[in-house]
Structure formats: C-alpha cells, structure tokens
Amino acid sequence: MSRHPSILITGASGEMGHGLIDRLSQNPDRPIITLDLNPLPPGTGAKVRKEFVGSILDPQLLDRIHAEYEVDRVFHLAALLSTRSEFSPALAHKVNVEGTLNLLEFAQKEGESHGRPVVFFYPSSIAAYGLPDAATKTRAGRVKEDEFNFPTTMYGANKLYCEHLGRYYDRHFRQLSAEPKAGKIDFRCIRFPGLISADTVPSGGTSDYVPEMIHAAAERKAYACFVQPDARIPFMAMPDAVDAILKLTAADKSRLSRVVYNIGAFAPSAGEVEAIVRRAFPAADISYKLDAKRAAIVASWPADVDDSAARTDWGLAPRYDLASAFGEYLIPNIRKRYG
Ligand code: SER
C-alpha cells in the first residue's frame, strides 16, 4: 500500500515491459506496480514495488489497486498481438478494447481522486494502417499518421479505436454532464513499428519474422521465413522504443501537437535482414516458406512511416539505424545470450 505517486505497468512481463521496467526503476522516487497474467522474471520482479498477477479484465483487482495506490502514470502495454488476435477475434476485442477501457476508467478515477492528470501511455502500432495493394504501398512510401487508417486486422482495428478512446477521455469525457470531467487523463500514444529485442522473442505478432530470424540463427536453429524476401515494413531496436516512450511521456504537454505519433528507425526488406544475419552467422539455415495469409497482413502495413511530428514535437532521435541496430546492439547481445 502506498499513497506515494506510483507507476502502473500492465502487460509488464511482455517484451516491452522488460526494458521499460529497467529504465523506470532507475528512479527510486516513483515506485512501480505491475499487472500481468504471468509473473515477472525474477530479475525484473526485484525492480518493482508490487507485482499483481491477474487480468486487466478483472474490475475487482483494478479497484483494489486504486484503493491501495496513488497512480499518476499508466503504461498500458497488455494486448493480444496481431496474429493471435486473428485466431480469436472476440477475445482480442475483449482484451485489447475492453481491457483498455477498464484501464482508462481506472486512470480517470485516479486522476479524480488525487487531482492531477494521470499520464496514460498507450502503445499503438503500424497495424492501425491498412494499404489496399502493393502499388499503393509503393506509391505511399512514408505514410503520415492520418493516412490509410483502414486496418485489415482485428488487432489493428482495436488499436485504432483505442487511440480514439484515449483522445475522448483526455479531451471530451462526459462532455454533457453538469461538471465535465475531461483532463484527468493525459493520453499519449505512439504507433510503433516492428520491434526487435536482443533479450526476448515476441509471440503472436506478425512482424515476428525479423526477430525470429536473428534469434534462430544465433541459436543455430533452422528458420523458415513466412513472408517473401521483398516484404518491407519499418522496424526499431527495443532500447530506442523504450527511449521514445520515456521521451514522449516526459514532454511538456504544450509541445504536443498530436495525440498519436508515428515513430520509425529503419525499414528493411526481409531479404535485407537475411543478408545481414548471414554475414554475422555464416552457417545460418534460413529459408522461405510463404504463409500467404500472414504475408498479406504485412503487405497491408506501410513500407515506412513519416515520423517528423515526433522528431519536431518531442525530440524522437533513435540511436540505431539498420547497420548499428544489428552491428552494435542485436548481434553482440544475442551472441552473448546464446553463447
Ligand atoms: N508487432 C506487432 C504485431 O506484429 C504489431 O504491433 O502484431
């Protein structure tokens, strides 16, 4: 129990939670509370004040956290990723949309009770885009936030809608009531590209072919890539993604011209990634076995994103480009990891 300003991270034991907890725990003045269906790995668990193992769909658990803690920052990372969501669309909607609504309600109550706006960070995705065909994708190049918002997946539709839901709580919540209650949530959102971590392999996503290819090569396992060599979407190294979250959530609100920001770092084709992985691991056993349905999802995502608003408004400046992400971050750390 703590009436001290605290951070709540949902989905904390996922890929992004791991790096975010490392960075946020460097500030001992703001304790971290986590909520995830799965327990945190022991090293990470030691960095948080209180770990709740449970569901974002459990209102009693959220009420208990509200009663026991003064939360003024929420990082709502829990979600079912895009491939998994296509197999269970109704469940995806429950977790991704109703779960987000529950956390927004939680944050609204927190903001109302301690009187300060709760900074609510929401990770959206390039899945919020849907480009109709290859010619349009090539022509579109680096897409802006408000273009091609026609996702083809349940996950993408969930993300796009929750961006709007967050904007509603921030700016228009209960606009017809006698005492409008907007402004208790300070909602900030990044549309992430595919993310690549040296520490973890994602599960249930559709951009997973890049992290899977590199981790498999380092583990000396064969890998059959499910998209064609010319499939192209933007990617980013995980430390830069965590950096971006910290920069956006620390930015002065008056500098933010948007609620939702694209970010990107590099946009290689699967074949370009394969060439880099082969140079680092000459014995890598990489082949292509097209999964036309998953590849179609990748084909509907943009080849790259225009992230100039993030660079101008809050100083997005990824440290790693394609060469240094692999050469300085991924390959050395992944090599160490698998020995
Ligand atoms: N990387 C995610 C996925 O593939 C997209 O946000 O589902």
Side-chain angles (χ1 to χ4, degrees), residues 81-83 125-127 155 192-195 204-208 301:
L81 291 185
S82 55
T83 290
S125 160
I126 43 164
Y155 172 79
F192 287 102
L195 298 177
T206 314
S207 60
D208 295 3
W301 293 348

Coordinates of all heavy atoms in Angstrom, one line a residue, residues 81-83 125-127 155 192-195 204-208 301, ligand 1:
L81 N -1.4 -9.7 -29.6 CA -0.8 -9.2 -30.8 C -1.6 -9.7 -32.1 O -2.6 -10.4 -32.0 CB 0.7 -9.6 -30.9 CG 1.6 -8.9 -29.9 CD1 3.0 -9.3 -30.1 CD2 1.4 -7.4 -29.9
S82 N -1.1 -9.3 -33.2 CA -1.9 -9.3 -34.4 C -2.3 -10.7 -34.9 O -3.4 -11.0 -35.3 CB -1.3 -8.5 -35.5 OG 0.0 -8.9 -35.8
T83 N -1.3 -11.6 -35.0 CA -1.5 -13.0 -35.5 C -2.5 -13.7 -34.5 O -3.5 -14.2 -34.9 CB -0.2 -13.7 -35.7 OG1 0.5 -13.2 -36.8 CG2 -0.5 -15.2 -35.9
S125 N 0.2 0.9 -33.1 CA 1.0 0.1 -34.0 C 0.9 0.5 -35.4 O -0.2 1.0 -35.8 CB 0.6 -1.4 -33.7 OG 1.0 -2.2 -34.8
I126 N 1.9 0.1 -36.2 CA 1.7 0.2 -37.7 C 0.5 -0.6 -38.2 O 0.0 -0.4 -39.3 CB 2.9 -0.2 -38.5 CG1 3.5 -1.5 -37.9 CG2 3.9 0.9 -38.6 CD1 4.5 -2.2 -38.8
A127 N 0.0 -1.5 -37.3 CA -1.2 -2.3 -37.7 C -2.4 -1.4 -37.8 O -3.4 -1.9 -38.4 CB -1.4 -3.4 -36.7
Y155 N -6.7 -6.8 -34.5 CA -5.7 -6.1 -33.7 C -5.6 -4.6 -34.1 O -5.6 -3.7 -33.3 CB -4.4 -6.8 -33.8 CG -3.2 -6.1 -33.1 CD1 -3.0 -6.2 -31.7 CD2 -2.2 -5.5 -33.9 CE1 -1.9 -5.6 -31.2 CE2 -1.1 -4.9 -33.3 CZ -0.9 -5.0 -31.9 OH 0.1 -4.4 -31.4
F192 N 4.0 2.2 -32.9 CA 5.3 1.5 -33.0 C 5.4 0.8 -34.4 O 4.4 0.2 -34.8 CB 5.5 0.5 -31.9 CG 5.8 1.2 -30.6 CD1 4.8 1.3 -29.6 CD2 7.1 1.7 -30.3 CE1 5.1 1.9 -28.4 CE2 7.3 2.3 -29.1 CZ 6.3 2.4 -28.2
P193 N 6.6 0.7 -34.9 CA 6.9 -0.2 -36.0 C 7.2 -1.6 -35.4 O 7.0 -1.8 -34.2 CB 8.2 0.4 -36.6 CG 8.9 1.0 -35.4 CD 7.8 1.5 -34.5
G194 N 7.6 -2.6 -36.2 CA 8.0 -3.8 -35.6 C 9.2 -3.6 -34.7 O 10.0 -2.8 -34.9
L195 N 9.2 -4.3 -33.5 CA 10.3 -4.1 -32.6 C 11.2 -5.3 -32.5 O 10.7 -6.4 -32.6 CB 9.7 -3.7 -31.2 CG 8.8 -2.4 -31.2 CD1 8.2 -2.2 -29.8 CD2 9.7 -1.2 -31.6
G204 N 3.1 -14.2 -31.1 CA 1.8 -13.9 -31.5 C 1.7 -12.7 -32.4 O 0.6 -12.2 -32.8
G205 N 2.8 -12.1 -32.8 CA 2.8 -10.9 -33.7 C 3.0 -11.3 -35.1 O 3.2 -12.5 -35.4
T206 N 2.9 -10.4 -36.0 CA 3.1 -10.7 -37.5 C 4.4 -10.1 -38.0 O 4.9 -10.5 -39.0 CB 1.9 -10.1 -38.3 OG1 0.7 -10.5 -37.6 CG2 1.8 -10.7 -39.7
S207 N 5.0 -9.1 -37.2 CA 6.3 -8.7 -37.6 C 7.4 -9.6 -37.0 O 8.6 -9.2 -37.1 CB 6.5 -7.2 -37.1 OG 6.3 -7.1 -35.7
D208 N 7.0 -10.7 -36.4 CA 7.9 -11.5 -35.7 C 9.0 -12.2 -36.6 O 10.0 -12.7 -36.1 CB 7.1 -12.7 -35.0 CG 6.2 -12.2 -33.9 OD1 6.1 -11.0 -33.8 OD2 5.6 -13.0 -33.3
W301 N 0.6 -3.3 -44.3 CA 1.2 -2.3 -43.4 C 2.2 -1.5 -44.2 O 2.7 -1.9 -45.2 CB 2.0 -3.0 -42.2 CG 1.1 -3.7 -41.3 CD1 -0.3 -3.6 -41.2 CD2 1.4 -4.6 -40.3 NE1 -0.8 -4.4 -40.2 CE2 0.2 -5.0 -39.6 CE3 2.6 -5.2 -39.8 CZ2 0.2 -5.9 -38.5 CZ3 2.6 -6.1 -38.7 CH2 1.4 -6.4 -38.1
Ligands
SER1 N1 4.5 -6.2 -33.8 C1 3.0 -6.2 -33.7 C2 2.5 -7.4 -34.4 O1 3.1 -7.9 -35.3 C3 2.4 -5.1 -34.3 O2 2.2 -4.1 -33.4 O3 1.4 -7.8 -34.0

